[in-house]
Amino acid sequence: MAGDPGAESDIRRLLAQYCQLLDDGRFDDWIDLFDPGIEFVVMGMHQHGHDELRGFIEPSQQADARGKHMISEPWIELGPDGDTATATVDFAWVSKAGAVGQSGRYHDHLVRHPDRWRFRRREIVFTGEQPEDA
């Protein structure tokens, strides 16, 4: 990504916060990482907006089911307007027992808000699958 190292740093922080806040069960802070019009896609299911997304994720991420989301170095491309970006980052989810339970790639469309970058669309693609927006 060329032209705005501050944006790249802020986007990297967003990607890390997604994992750590979710793993810690900090759902109020986690949901704030998303644009109000978020489209969240996983396993063919589409969640739209904060309420749908929170209703989908919170029940499946209770303390006894949490592990750690590990991410690789992201590929970030800033849009020509400087206020949008795309990012792809590989992930692995590790259970409390230390086993890799899932792996794949996050495909993100990001938008800059006055206070921070936020996810506008996140598609979770498990290893061996193809993204819908490919």
Side-chain angles (χ1 to χ4, degrees):
M1 181 178 108
D4 190 349
E8 182 174 346
S9 176
D10 291 344
I11 290 169
R12 288 174 191 280
R13 180 183 312 273
L14 174 68
L15 297 171
Q17 287 175 320
Y18 172 93
C19 297
Q20 292 181 15
L21 293 172
L22 185 58
D23 292 344
D24 293 345
R26 295 176 52 191
F27 300 113
D28 291 335
D29 295 326
W30 183 80
I31 206 71
D32 191 47
L33 302 177
F34 299 92
D35 181 83
I38 181 65
E39 180 183 16
F40 190 88
V41 181
V42 62
M43 298 180 295
M45 296 179 287
H46 294 246
Q47 310 303 316
H48 298 274
H50 286 176
D51 291 341
E52 275 188 28
L53 177 55
R54 187 172 184 146
F56 171 75
I57 205 74
E58 192 169 346
S60 67
Q61 293 293 318
Q62 293 304 301
D64 61 335
R66 284 188 216 130
K68 293 290 179 196
H69 290 80
M70 311 301 291
I71 57 175
S72 70
E73 185 69 19
W75 182 347
I76 300 167
E77 293 193 23
L78 194 62
D81 61 3
D83 289 328
T84 59
T86 59
T88 55
V89 60
D90 292 332
F91 74 89
W93 180 81
V94 180
S95 73
K96 287 182 180 182
V100 174
Q102 298 170 336
S103 65
R105 182 169 290 160
Y106 298 128
H107 295 261
D108 298 319
H109 296 266
L110 310 165
V111 62
R112 189 191 316 247
H113 283 239
D115 61 334
R116 67 173 308 135
W117 283 87
R118 287 190 166 87
F119 295 99
R120 178 65 180 95
R121 184 179 196 277
R122 170 160 267 202
E123 184 175 356
I124 301 172
V125 180
F126 296 108
T127 300
E129 298 179 2
Q130 294 297 315
E132 288 183 8
D133 69 353

